[in-house]
Amino acid sequence: MRAVDIIAKKRDGHTLTRDEIHWFIDAFTHDTLPDYQVAAWLMAVYLQGMNRQETVDLTMALAESGETLDLTEIDGYVVDKHSSGGVGDKTSLVVAPLVASCGVPVIKMSGRGLGFSGGTLDKLEAIAGYDVHLSAERYIALGKQIGIALGGQTESIAPADGKLYALRDVTGTVPSLPLIASSIVSKKIAAGAHGIVLDVKVGRGAFMQTLEAARQLATMMVEIATDAKRNAVALLSDMNQPLGYAVGNALEIAEAVETLRGGGPADLREHCLAVGVEMLHMAGQRGKRRWTTETAARASLEQQIENGAALAKFRELVAAQGGDVSMIDDPARLPQASLVETLTASQDGSIAEVKADAVAVAAFELGAGRERKSDPIDPAVGVKVHVKVGDRVQAGAPLATIYANDAARLAKAKQTLLTACTYSDAPVAPLPLFYRPAIHTD
Ligand code: URA
């Protein structure tokens, strides 16, 4: 085969065969294709799209470019979840131990934050000693021992995806649905879980800004996972305002712990229960058949929060991965910022917007996020928003608290945050948590 023929075929809008796609990705993985040919192919895919079969073939080629975790040694139906990335999204920190505490193994490889969206690994690293670098063997050993592992992607998982993403990033070809869907699902397939719950965020603080685009991406990912013989469900969730109150690494760990203790922001708790219900329901239908209804799944999750089992599982996870559990027992021991300032409402009214993107920028300006993968981050800094869209406030009520370690950064973040909230004299309806229906495996 010749790369130029495959590029031209896609350029002219024809359908690539499985063999062509696998040959192309394989050659790229083994460095026998120059970047300029791969870049040209990416642009052709971006402009011409891919059909369902091509997208599945690309997904499998990416998944098979490296190691695939074999989780058969772990007893039970293993589930995983993936969020397309948002602001204040600490769902994995709550839902993974919550579901694992119900006896359903959760093996999850997470990512780092980049740009606006936070990353679970950065949050976990706010816990002193927590080791996110797990080998494939360690993932499996933890799954067998304690039914949960939460770490980073091993280098051998879908290596072609990492290389391809780097090229997409510099060739304007990131926002292509088949490229995004195959990138996300290939990593989930290589990580081995039997069932995958996808949480596709939509809104101003998300990758997908419109419901239509989010639904298309979600449908495509569920279709690919199904064709790759995995069970999948995708939820569409709102990301116009931050999830929960806290945005920033240690702040989010503290909020997750509070939620596992039975408190926490109502929206975060409800969001975690909804994602957890999908994970248990999926396992219940295929595995030990305990959670045949969503009501039964929800009751188990609520019980595990109330009786302390979910928090105990998180503690067990932190201990097993080398973290300082005293920070879970007493979140005041997590890294703390030296400067704390609360902004207040400038007027009476209903909160019309809490712009997730503006809150994310403020947290980023404080040093909670990174522009490049290698940038350092400050685990202690961030923002706690005290209001949600639809809340009625009076002038002088607390709107948001800034946690900073640098006065200049604090001043900048303050300016940004002042643009985050808007008011309305008329009542404003709260934002929905989810846009139903969820998209299921067909
Ligand atoms: N996340 C991924 O893993 N890949 C993409 O292409 C976009 C978001």
Side-chain angles (χ1 to χ4, degrees), residues 3 8 46 68 75 98 101 117 121 157 165 257-258 373 413 417:
Y46 176 87
T68 310
D75 183 28
L98 175 55
S101 77
S117 101
L121 297 188
I157 291 287
Y165 194 91
V257 169
E258 206 185 320
K373 273 190 180 164
L417 270 181

Side-chain angles (χ1 to χ4, degrees), residues 82-84 161 165 168 174 176 179-181 183-184 187 207:
H82 177 86
S83 155
S84 63
D161 173 66
Y165 194 91
R168 286 168 58 202
V174 168
S176 145
L179 294 178
I180 297 171
S183 166
I184 293 174
K187 287 175 286 203
F207 210 49

Side-chain angles (χ1 to χ4, degrees), residues 284-429:
Q285 283 175 315
R286 276 105 190 165
K288 294 177 187 150
R289 303 209 158 264
R290 239 179 92 199
W291 299 282
T292 46
T293 64
E294 294 191 2
T295 316
R298 195 180 170 97
S300 285
L301 296 169
E302 285 176 341
Q303 188 187 24
Q304 295 302 84
I305 292 178
E306 255 165 56
N307 67 18
L311 180 64
K313 185 55 80 178
F314 187 50
R315 210 177 173 281
E316 195 180 7
L317 167 76
V318 170
Q321 292 194 212
D324 179 354
V325 286
S326 75
M327 293 184 166
I328 307 308
D329 298 337
D330 178 12
R333 292 176 60 93
L334 286 161
Q336 301 290 322
S338 55
L339 306 169
V340 178
E341 186 174 331
T342 296
L343 308 184
T344 55
S346 56
Q347 62 177 87
D348 292 358
S350 294
I351 299 293
E353 289 173 304
V354 184
K355 299 174 188 163
D357 47 345
V359 177
V361 170
F364 181 80
E365 287 166 346
L366 292 164
R370 58 168 73 77
E371 212 161 347
R372 282 175 300 271
K373 273 190 180 164
S374 53
D375 291 346
I377 56 162
D378 183 340
V381 301
V383 177
K384 248 194 221 177
V385 182
H386 304 298
V387 290
K388 292 277 164 196
V389 168
D391 285 356
R392 215 51 229 161
V393 294
Q394 291 190 324
L399 267 194
T401 302
I402 303 176
Y403 297 81
N405 274 328
D406 177 289
R409 282 175 175 255
L410 188 150
K412 196 157 185 232
K414 190 170 162 178
Q415 288 313 312
T416 306
L417 270 181
L418 287 172
T419 67
C421 289
T422 60
Y423 304 83
S424 158
D425 291 333
V428 176

Side-chain angles (χ1 to χ4, degrees), residues 126-146:
I127 305 167
Y130 192 101
D131 185 10
V132 298
H133 305 285
L134 303 180
S135 63
E137 294 70 32
R138 186 92 182 104
Y139 269 106
I140 293 166
L142 283 169
K144 284 164 74 176
Q145 283 158 17
I146 62 169

